[in-house]
Amino acid sequence: MKNKKITTAQTALNFGLILGGTNILYGIMLFALDMHYQNDTATSIIGYAFLIGIILWGIMRFKKINGGYLRLSEALKTGVGTALISGILIAVYFVIMSQFLDPNFIDKSIEYQKQMMLQENPEISVENVNKIFDMQKEFSGPLVTSGFIIIFNLFFGFIISLVVGLILKKSQPE
């Protein structure tokens, strides 16, 4: 029986689906609790923990399956690929959520952010806050936001993969 080497693409697809699915389930939970538009620190930290943990898991799994060896390029391909697949899934979920499940999502999110800004900075006038968020609303469409979601995932996926790859890399003896 031949030992079949698993590819970075296979690993990225598998762990991208896991990460995307986990984030979608987390998003559905936040939606059910009506917390999906608040974007507070605790929910963000949990999202980052998913991203870091599952990319790390994917790279470590790839290294284990491939005899304990890992090149930096393999870590980057695995991590960025995982982030890309996940980002696409999350972007699709975002479009569905903001267009069908909660068509008022963007308005609720902006209104919540306005209220938070006015609470944290009482010296700012309501007119100035409205101007700031009117500009933000122009760039808050579902497709633009989906693009930012994918770019964000790719950027952090690259950083996480780079750090993990530098720590875990181990070359095969020649």
Side-chain angles (χ1 to χ4, degrees):
M1 197 161 113
K2 262 177 133 176
N3 238 356
K4 186 178 177 188
K5 183 177 179 183
I6 190 167
T7 66
T8 56
Q10 291 168 318
T11 305
L13 177 62
N14 291 338
F15 284 90
L17 291 172
I18 292 169
L19 179 56
T22 301
N23 280 313
I24 289 170
L25 287 174
Y26 183 58
I28 291 169
M29 181 197 73
L30 291 174
F31 177 76
L33 295 172
D34 201 32
M35 294 174 60
H36 60 291
Y37 60 89
Q38 295 176 1
N39 199 23
D40 65 352
T41 305
T43 58
S44 296
I45 289 172
I46 292 169
Y48 292 131
F50 288 150
L51 185 67
I52 293 167
I54 294 174
I55 288 175
L56 174 64
W57 180 27
I59 293 171
M60 289 173 59
R61 179 82 173 139
F62 178 84
K63 181 179 179 181
K64 181 179 179 185
I65 288 173
N66 287 294
Y69 299 107
L70 177 74
R71 294 189 318 257
L72 179 58
S73 63
E74 292 170 329
L76 288 170
K77 288 177 191 175
T78 302
V80 172
T82 298
L84 176 64
I85 300 297
S86 170
I88 291 169
L89 291 173
I90 295 166
V92 168
Y93 166 74
F94 177 79
V95 169
I96 292 169
M97 190 269 304
S98 66
Q99 295 299 297
F100 302 108
L101 299 177
D102 187 3
N104 297 321
F105 168 76
I106 292 172
D107 293 333
K108 285 198 281 189
S109 179
I110 288 174
E111 190 57 39
Y112 180 79
Q113 290 174 21
K114 280 183 188 178
Q115 296 306 318
M116 295 307 294
M117 183 178 271
L118 288 170
Q119 281 180 353
E120 293 170 4
N121 303 305
E123 69 279 353
I124 294 178
S125 71
V126 174
E127 294 82 25
N128 286 339
V129 171
N130 285 336
K131 285 179 189 177
I132 291 168
F133 285 101
D134 286 344
M135 278 184 20
Q136 180 184 349
K137 191 171 183 177
E138 290 180 30
F139 298 103
S140 297
L143 296 178
V144 173
T145 303
S146 294
F148 281 121
I149 289 169
I150 293 169
I151 291 168
F152 169 85
N153 262 28
L154 287 172
F155 176 74
F156 281 100
F158 175 77
I159 299 298
I160 295 163
S161 303
L162 180 63
V163 171
V164 170
L166 288 170
I167 293 169
L168 296 180
K169 73 179 180 176
K170 182 178 178 185
S171 300
Q172 288 184 344
E174 299 204 21

